[in-house]
Each structure stands twice: as C-alpha cells, then as structure tokens.
Amino acid sequence: MASRAHVHDHDSGEGLVPVEEYVEGILARIEPLAPIEVQLQQTLGCVAATDVRAREDMPSFSSSAMDGFAVQAGDVEKAGPDRPVELRVVGRARIGERPDATVGGGEAVRIDTGAPIPAGADAVVPIENCLSSQESVRVLEPVPSGKHVRPAGEDAVPGDLLVPAGRRIGPPELGILASSGAARVLVHPRPRVVVLSTGDELVDPSQLPRFGQVRDANAYTLYGGILEMGAQPILAGRVRDEVEEFREAILSQLGQADAFVSSGGVSVGERDVVKRAFFKRGEVEFTRVAMQPGMPQAFGTFEGQPYFGLPGNPVSAFVSFEMIVRPGLLKLAGRRDLHRPRVTAVLETEVTGPKGKTAFARVRVRETPEGLRASSTGGRSSNLLTTVARANGFAIIPPGVERLEPGQECRVVLFRVGS
Ligand code: AMP
Ligand code: MG
C-alpha cells in the first residue's frame, strides 16, 4: 500500500491559487478592443466606448399632454362649473407645427396632445372641462401653472449622461441614442472568440458514438455563453489530442480572432494536448486553481490575443467559463461590470465542497414570501451536466468550509434569470 505521504489529497487547497486571485490576474492582462464608429442599428449588443451625453433638451420643446386649450393659469384661477371664465380663442397649436398665435391675458389657443405649447401659455385645460365656440372658450375649472404641460428638457438637458461608457447597448439605449441624434456611435466591437474542443474521444452531436466516444457538449455550451454575453463565437471544431493539430487549429485562426477558448487537455494526463502544445513555448501558463469544479486551468496570449484553456469535464468547462472566461471576454468587449450578480439565499438542502477550495455548488434559487431559497440540483461530480441545466446559480462554499447546512445562508452567483 502506498504511504499516505504519496497520495494526492484532492480536497486540499495546498499549492493552489485562490480563484479571485487567478481571475484578477487574467483581467489585468486583458485590454478592451479598440473602439470603432458604427451605425446606430449595428451597435445593438456592443458596448459604448465613450459616455454619450445629451447635446440638446430632450424633449426639445414643451408640449401638451391633453387635447384642450393652452391658457395662462392666472386667468382661470377662479373658474368653476357655475362661474366659467371666458377666454378669446386666438389661434391653433397643431402637432408638428409652430403655433400660429401666442397667448396673452384673457386669451387661449386650441391645442392637440403633443403639439408645442404656444408662447405665453403655461397650462392646458382639457377639452372636457371647457365649453367652446368658434371665437371663445368658457373654462369650467382652474388649472395650476404647468398642468398638462410636458416641459422641454424634462427627460434630459444638455450634458446629462444618456449612455455611460461600458454599458452594453440594448433596446432602450438604441431609442435614447436615436432620440438624441446619435446616428453613429463609438463602440467596442464584439470580440470574435474561437471555440475549440480537444479530445480523441469526441464526436459531433449528430453522430452515434462508438463505445467510449463522447458527443462534444462543450463547444455548444461555450458557443451559447459567448453569444449570450455579447461576443461572436466562431466554432472551430474538434481537434484530436495531437500537438500539431492543435497548434495548427490555433494558428490558422489567429488573423480572424480576438480570443480563444478551448476545452479539454489541460490536466496532467499523457494525452493532454494543450499542455504538451504549449509546455515549452512559455506563452501559456498552467495553473491549479483552488476551485471545484475547474481546478486545472490554462491562460496565455497569442500575439496579444487571450487564450483560455479549460478543463474538459462539461460542468468544469461551464463553471470555468462563467467564473473566469466570461469576465475576461466582457473586459475585452469594453464592459465595466464584469461579474454576475450575487445574492444571499437560505439553503433548503445541504451543499458540500472540498475543504481547501472554493466550491461552486449547482443550486436552484427561487423567490418565496420569506425571501430567497436555494436548493442543490444534484451531485458534486463535474460530469453531471443535468445538474447545471436545472440550476440557475452557484452556491459559493468558501475555502475552509466543507458543508453548509439547510437553514444556513449562503452567497449564490446567479448565472441566469427567468425560467
Ligand atoms: P480532459 O479535460 O480532456 O481530460 O477531459 C475530461 C473529461 O471531459 C473526459 O471524460 C472527456 O471525455 C470529457 N470531455 C472533454 N471534452 C469534452 C467535450 N467537448 N464535450 C463533452 N465532454 C468532454
Ligand atoms: Mg481530453
């Protein structure tokens, strides 16, 4: 029997790099892609490269929120149903047009919803509260100054921040940019990310695996994760555990990629292709990270383009993507908020992890009248992809803690919202 001293303890964190430290180290080596100016429609999903500020009042003119009469509030102060105030109708304010009259004392201008408020007027009396003829209107209620008026600059005034640098442009930002006249916008381009799967055993999802073969799941998980975070995945296929094949796959993509992600081949096995391909070149560093799953990691740069080498187990690959690759790609894309939201939830089941590492336990978080509750979606092994598919978060079991009991609070990284 081997003496205990020679048995590697997989639960120990000894000699491993803490996960936060590993991620920070990678982020420090990634710079956002150089900004480009693109047409408004093409900015959807891209990240604003500069603060976009209002250059004019939004809205640019004050308008009526009602169909009715634009008046001076002071004139109708004492109006009531039994003592109407009669005003002379001096003109018309139509939507999209300059009003054809101004409002003086004792005067009113007929106005439509959305039409500019004529000069002199400071309130609108809705049509329902007036009796009108051609030349005059009898106002049956008082209106305070500003009533039913949408003031110019109510939404934003020149200099107001409309879209901050680092914000991913979504539908509301497109609307704001359009409204403010930003027809072209300076954005960081979407990173083009090459995805590679390594392993002699891998086959395409459309294939029937022979005994011992495995369908390539990681390429698809990574594809989804990359697309979802706003980058552009390039599926470069599967490579066998051959050093030359792997190098060739990387080198052939160098010109058209901003980053690389591969799965598999980063452990210590003799077939571990990534390790052998880069071992001597020194461009890629192999690190044992104090996390579970996802301990063996590789990171480096090729001609300045980041390369992430993830372990092959599907859960390890996913957790590694979420905790390490995603923040890195977000930084490359110009984002400033790089991390998933975290919440505190009360456990409904126990979760466990190896003592020396940060464990990311797959849990389902749900909202209850008593607050957030989290329950484990299954076992700890890193090949159990269904446990991820049922989960929406990773419960964090910090180093030094092996077990969190039902009823205890824990921090959870939420990697998806909604069903
Ligand atoms: P490796 O990190 O290459 O040692 O792979 C660890 C385990 O994950 C092995 O059982 C592989 O068959 C499996 N694996 C590696 N890559 C993939 C993949 N792309 N899809 C599904 N399973 C994979
Ligand atoms: Mg492999």
Side-chain angles (χ1 to χ4, degrees):
M1 210 167 101
S3 82
R4 278 197 81 78
H6 295 283
V7 176
H8 178 73
D9 177 2
H10 282 277
D11 282 3
S12 156
E14 231 180 278
L16 309 187
V17 177
V19 58
E20 299 80 11
E21 189 182 317
Y22 184 65
V23 174
E24 287 310 315
I26 286 177
L27 293 177
R29 293 175 61 185
I30 295 177
E31 285 307 318
L33 296 177
I36 52 170
E37 200 182 71
V38 299
Q39 267 192 336
L40 187 53
Q41 307 94 288
Q42 281 152 17
T43 67
L44 183 70
C46 295
V47 176
T50 54
D51 286 345
V52 182
R53 292 178 183 278
R55 288 172 293 188
E56 53 202 34
D57 277 346
M58 294 170 66
S60 60
F61 57 91
S62 54
S63 63
S64 177
M66 286 283 185
D67 288 334
F69 289 88
V71 301
Q72 294 189 351
D75 278 351
V76 298
E77 219 166 30
K78 303 222 163 61
D82 41 3
R83 26 175 207 179
V85 170
E86 181 145 355
L87 302 171
R88 202 151 54 80
V89 177
V90 294
R92 189 88 173 82
R94 291 189 169 84
I95 204 155
E97 289 176 23
R98 184 177 289 283
D100 60 8
T102 59
V103 175
E107 295 177 344
V109 160
R110 173 89 171 83
I111 194 164
D112 302 329
T113 304
I117 301 289
D122 66 347
V124 171
V125 186
I127 194 107
E128 309 84 89
N129 300 326
C130 299
L131 294 169
S132 62
S133 63
Q134 280 295 62
E135 274 107 53
S136 73
V137 58
R138 286 146 58 108
V139 174
L140 306 176
E141 66 154 11
V143 284
S145 178
K147 190 78 183 169
H148 304 310
V149 173
R150 298 169 175 156
E154 190 180 23
D155 212 4
V157 297
D160 277 0
L161 186 57
L162 301 177
V163 179
R167 168 76 58 80
R168 186 180 181 190
I169 295 172
E173 283 78 17
L174 284 182
I176 290 171
L177 291 165
S179 170
S180 72
R184 296 179 70 77
V185 186
L186 200 62
V187 295
H188 297 282
R190 293 164 179 276
R192 299 158 302 173
V193 185
V194 166
V195 177
L196 280 167
S197 302
T198 71
D200 289 338
E201 75 282 22
L202 300 180
V203 297
D204 191 78
S206 64
Q207 279 175 271
L208 187 65
R210 279 189 284 107
F211 179 78
Q213 289 186 324
V214 173
R215 291 195 185 95
D216 177 7
N218 295 345
Y220 294 86
T221 308
L222 294 171
Y223 171 87
I226 290 164
L227 200 60
E228 197 191 57
M229 57 67 52
Q232 204 180 304
I234 301 169
L235 288 185
R238 296 178 304 279
V239 294
R240 297 164 51 74
D241 289 317
E242 303 294 342
V243 171
E244 279 317 311
E245 201 179 313
F246 182 73
R247 279 190 182 157
E248 184 48 40
I250 297 272
L251 294 176
S252 68
Q253 299 282 348
L254 260 182
Q256 53 182 322
D258 301 305
F260 295 85
V261 184
S262 74
S263 64
V266 294
S267 333
V268 289
E270 60 173 25
R271 307 256 350 126
D272 283 321
V273 62
V274 178
K275 196 121 194 201
R276 286 181 296 136
F278 297 115
F279 198 62
K280 291 188 183 71
R281 294 181 72 177
E283 292 168 310
V284 172
E285 252 179 81
F286 293 83
T287 309
R288 281 152 42 88
V289 181
M291 65 190 278
Q292 199 282 323
M295 180 182 70
Q297 294 287 336
F299 179 79
T301 54
F302 306 130
E303 299 176 8
Q305 299 161 1
Y307 163 74
F308 299 86
L310 314 183
N313 266 311
V315 180
S316 310
F318 180 66
V319 173
S320 305
F321 177 82
E322 279 293 327
M323 303 312 297
I324 300 169
V325 182
R326 188 174 182 277
L329 295 182
L330 287 174
K331 183 156 185 205
L332 193 63
R335 282 271 281 271
R336 311 232 168 141
D337 52 332
L338 305 180
H339 301 289
R340 293 283 200 191
R342 292 179 182 205
V343 295
T344 299
V346 175
L347 287 164
E348 293 181 309
T349 59
E350 69 160 24
V351 287
T352 62
K355 181 156 196 187
K357 303 175 186 170
T358 302
F360 297 102
R362 287 82 86 182
V363 293
R364 179 114 209 137
V365 176
R366 59 191 181 89
E367 225 166 348
T368 74
E370 289 76 42
L372 297 177
R373 294 290 179 267
S375 45
S376 168
T377 58
R380 220 164 98 174
S381 299
S382 36
N383 56 340
L384 307 175
L385 207 41
T386 61
T387 63
V388 179
R390 281 195 293 270
N392 57 5
F394 301 131
I396 300 172
I397 309 161
V401 179
E402 280 178 286
R403 173 189 310 273
L404 294 172
E405 307 284 346
Q408 272 189 284
E409 284 192 336
C410 72
R411 294 289 284 165
V412 180
V413 181
L414 288 182
F415 62 80
R416 68 196 291 176
V417 286
S419 52

